[in-house]
Amino acid sequence: GDSVTQMEGPVTLSEEAFLTINCTYTATGYPSLFWYVQYPGEGLQLLLKATKADDKGSNKGFEATYRKETTSFHLEKGSVQVSDSAVYFCALSTGGGNKLTFGTGTQLKVEL
Amino acid sequence: GAVVSQHPSWVICKSGTSVKIECRSLDFQATTMFWYRQFPKQSLMLMATSNEGSKATYEQGVEKDKFLINHASLTLSTLTVTSAHPEDSSFYICSARDTGGAGETQYFGPGTRLLVL
């Protein structure tokens, strides 16, 4: 079945540091890939997505590139802020988006 | 942007009682809504897919008689936890797929925290 593997957290960074959160997947067919963010006490919000190989999703300074050859969708940001502290979930969907399969989430803590 | 609301945001109930959670798409129509359960520091686990006007599709291991889902309109789905027990305490999250939108994106509600005493 489909699965998503994320690096374990928590990841603790200083403000303005470079961020990478690794995500790899296994799926039948050609999935769409997503990153969702969950701020403390809130629901999940779509951060970015990519629907086909080599697509780059980007939003709020975050970006991720759909790499079919390595089955990866790593999340990156060049300079993190304290306000980026949250839990980040990588996810995929197949079959027209009827089901999302999530990774276990990676908690990011950004300190001054 | 697309907004999904949930009500209540948190609920405490006694063991053996039933609790209903509402999920509404506020500014779009959703033929399909999804119900997830999230345990502390864990990922979201899909419980069921709710389809407007038809029966919900439950994931393996989810008791359909315990978690009743009704999707009566294009903007409302409800999850009723029947005869709740302490092990049902969890964070329940719904999402909705915009029927008229680009297709795949799910918009999530803020979640409902259930505590069964």
Side-chain angles (χ1 to χ4, degrees), chain A residues 96-100, chain B residues 6 23 32-36 46-51 69 71 77 93-97 104-108:
Chain A
N98 281 327
K99 287 179 68 170
L100 274 173
Chain B
Q6 281 185 242
C23 176
T32 304
M33 292 184 173
F34 304 87
W35 288 96
Y36 295 85
L46 179 65
M47 299 175 65
T49 301
S50 170
N51 299 297
I69 291 172
H71 193 153
S77 176
I93 302 171
C94 74
S95 70
R97 193 155 63 93
E104 294 189 336
T105 302
Q106 290 184 28
Y107 300 95
F108 285 78

Side-chain angles (χ1 to χ4, degrees), chain A residues 32 34 36 38 41-46 49 51 89 93 95-100 102-105 107, chain B residues 32 34 36 38 41-44 46 49 59 91 93 95 97 102-111:
Chain A
S32 293
F34 305 82
Y36 282 86
Q38 185 178 33
E42 299 183 16
L44 273 73
Q45 301 174 24
L46 178 64
K49 67 177 184 180
T51 58
F89 291 93
S93 74
N98 281 327
K99 287 179 68 170
L100 274 173
F102 285 90
T104 53
Q107 184 175 12
Chain B
T32 304
F34 304 87
Y36 295 85
Q38 185 182 27
K41 299 186 179 181
Q42 294 188 29
S43 186
L44 281 75
L46 179 65
T49 301
E59 295 300 299
F91 194 50
I93 302 171
S95 70
R97 193 155 63 93
E104 294 189 336
T105 302
Q106 290 184 28
Y107 300 95
F108 285 78

Side-chain angles (χ1 to χ4, degrees), chain A residues 67-107:
Chain A
R67 300 289 188 197
K68 186 170 180 289
E69 64 276 13
T70 55
T71 61
S72 64
F73 193 55
H74 304 321
L75 182 68
E76 297 181 336
K77 186 175 185 182
S79 176
V80 294
Q81 306 298 312
V82 172
S83 57
D84 293 327
S85 297
V87 181
Y88 292 82
F89 291 93
C90 185
L92 67 81
S93 74
T94 56
N98 281 327
K99 287 179 68 170
L100 274 173
T101 300
F102 285 90
T104 53
T106 302
Q107 184 175 12

